[in-house]
Amino acid sequence: MRSHLLVLLARTAALLTILVPAGVVRTQQPVKSATVRPASTMPTTVSYVQVLGADYAFESPDVLPAGIVAFNLVNNGNDLHAMAIFELPAKHTLRDFLNQYHSLGMIPTWMIGLGQTPTIAPKTEAFLTVRMKPGRYILACLIPARDGRMHTEKGMVKQVTVK
């Protein structure tokens, strides 16, 4: 047992001479206490926003508070629905988003996604919590309807402003 330990120590020392360049002395640095900083200067309160989804529209406030927002999507329709949230860059419009999304079949590369609820059945709900800074955002249902058209094509998209 003791000889096994000596062999292990010898191998470790040999490995260290290979891995640590000659003349390099490693000293242990004193541990510094961590600096605690707030994650953001935005408000830390959580705002609750209910979004009613129907066939095919979102009903919600037009203006939302900056900070942490807990969205509660309630599916009041007869179809499956979901809600994705995108930050809308200043140089683009809701129409720009819709034109590119419908013609290319994919989200434009200039859109900034914040998250999406799961797809939910009629008469059910889902939650999504995100941190939002002041600006313009799009709420969009990105799933196709039974007729093959996207829910956004049928009007299930909404622009909101965060202040």
Side-chain angles (χ1 to χ4, degrees), residues 27-64:
T27 59
Q28 188 173 14
Q29 298 294 321
V31 177
K32 296 180 182 178
S33 60
T35 304
V36 178
R37 294 184 192 142
S40 173
T41 57
M42 286 198 285
T44 56
T45 58
V46 177
S47 301
Y48 170 83
V49 174
Q50 186 176 57
V51 179
L52 300 177
D55 303 332
Y56 295 91
F58 285 123
E59 184 182 318
S60 74
D62 294 330
V63 178
L64 308 176

Side-chain angles (χ1 to χ4, degrees), residues 38-45 66-68 131-134 137 162:
S40 173
T41 57
M42 286 198 285
T44 56
T45 58
I68 300 169
R131 184 180 295 272
M132 303 178 87
K133 62 185 181 186
Y137 294 82
V162 173

Side-chain angles (χ1 to χ4, degrees), residues 56-58 84 86-89 91-111 136-143 149-160:
Y56 295 91
F58 285 123
F86 297 96
E87 185 176 351
L88 184 60
K91 63 183 177 181
H92 292 285
T93 65
L94 174 60
R95 179 58 34 213
D96 293 338
F97 165 76
L98 291 172
N99 287 343
Q100 285 202 20
Y101 180 58
H102 295 152
S103 66
L104 300 176
M106 54 194 274
I107 304 299
T109 57
W110 42 262
M111 289 298 290
R136 299 174 309 145
Y137 294 82
I138 293 174
L139 310 179
C141 184
L142 303 176
I143 59 178
R149 290 180 54 213
M150 300 304 293
H151 286 198
T152 52
E153 288 181 86
K154 295 178 171 227
M156 199 158 190
V157 61
K158 180 177 182 166
Q159 182 176 322
V160 295

Side-chain angles (χ1 to χ4, degrees), residues 5-15:
L5 182 58
L6 290 174
V7 170
L8 185 59
L9 286 173
R11 287 183 183 165
T12 303
L15 185 59

Side-chain angles (χ1 to χ4, degrees), residues 48-52 70-74 83 117 125-128:
Y48 170 83
V49 174
Q50 186 176 57
V51 179
L52 300 177
F71 288 92
N72 174 208
L73 174 63
V74 178
M83 183 183 72
T117 67
E125 63 182 357
F127 291 87
L128 174 64

